Amino acid sequence: MKIVIGNDHAGPVLKTAIKEHLKDRGIDVLDLGVKVGEKIDYPKIAEAVALKVANKQADLGIIICGTGIGVSISANKVKGIRAACVSEPYSAKLSREHNDANILCFGARVVGEELAKMIVDEFIDAEFLGERHKRRVQMITDIENKR
Ligand code: RB5
């Protein structure tokens, strides 16, 4: 599995912790985020991560900003992206199982490191359940394709 990760200036410390956690799990990580002391406006990093996922250069994406909100709103503007902004593991798991989310977003000012690792684990270990959820996810794509 390959994961692309990104962060704005609110999230470099948490991003590094998550990156190490993923590497410990044997997951290939592409890091597009900024380092401590660097600044970037969150829509830019969200778009960069979203394009990697949309173009199938990564299986899933993770984006961290202060709240997770700005990056999720931005990533969801890219066709084919279903970015979920969550702050606890249950929603992370269900975002994959029911919504086929392909990007996980959370806030470095909202969740602590250990909780963030649990959120990430639930997200990457879960699988889309298909069946009735497939029809509903298709309805999301239909909205995207209308205009
Ligand atoms: C940056 O200060 C902050 O606005 C950003 O990280 C994020 O929380 C936006 O949604």
Side-chain angles (χ1 to χ4, degrees):
M1 179 185 278
K2 182 168 184 169
I3 292 194
V4 55
I5 193 166
N7 60 281
D8 74 356
H9 44 276
V13 175
L14 184 57
K15 182 276 302 290
T16 301
I18 296 301
K19 197 171 145 182
E20 289 310 310
H21 179 66
L22 291 169
K23 284 184 173 172
D24 287 348
R25 288 194 49 169
I27 294 168
D28 188 12
V29 184
L30 172 65
D31 181 3
L32 302 181
V34 295
K35 298 183 178 74
V36 173
E38 295 176 344
K39 275 204 162 207
I40 191 165
D41 293 323
Y42 64 82
K44 279 191 179 177
I45 201 73
E47 185 181 19
V49 171
L51 287 173
K52 291 283 181 199
V53 175
N55 294 333
K56 306 203 184 310
Q57 292 167 281
D59 300 297
L60 294 170
I62 297 174
I63 326 175
I64 303 166
C65 67
T67 58
I69 297 170
V71 288
S72 59
I73 292 172
S74 306
N76 277 316
K77 299 296 179 191
V78 174
K79 203 166 181 162
I81 294 304
R82 290 174 298 281
C85 179
V86 307
S87 53
E88 39 72 32
Y90 177 76
S91 299
K93 178 182 166 84
L94 270 286
S95 75
R96 292 281 304 124
E97 290 187 346
H98 288 197
N99 314 115
D100 200 15
N102 48 18
I103 294 186
L104 171 68
C105 303
F106 50 85
R109 297 172 185 156
V110 180
V111 297
E113 185 179 316
E114 294 309 314
L115 181 57
K117 287 178 191 170
M118 290 172 76
I119 289 169
V120 165
D121 286 343
E122 290 292 341
F123 186 77
I124 61 182
D125 290 339
E127 283 181 20
F128 181 48
L129 295 177
E131 296 182 5
R132 68 186 188 281
H133 306 294
K134 200 170 175 185
R135 182 175 58 82
R136 292 167 185 157
V137 171
Q138 183 57 50
M139 289 169 76
I140 298 174
T141 306
D142 291 346
I143 294 171
E144 197 173 64
N145 289 334
K146 266 187 200 165
R147 47 189 84 75

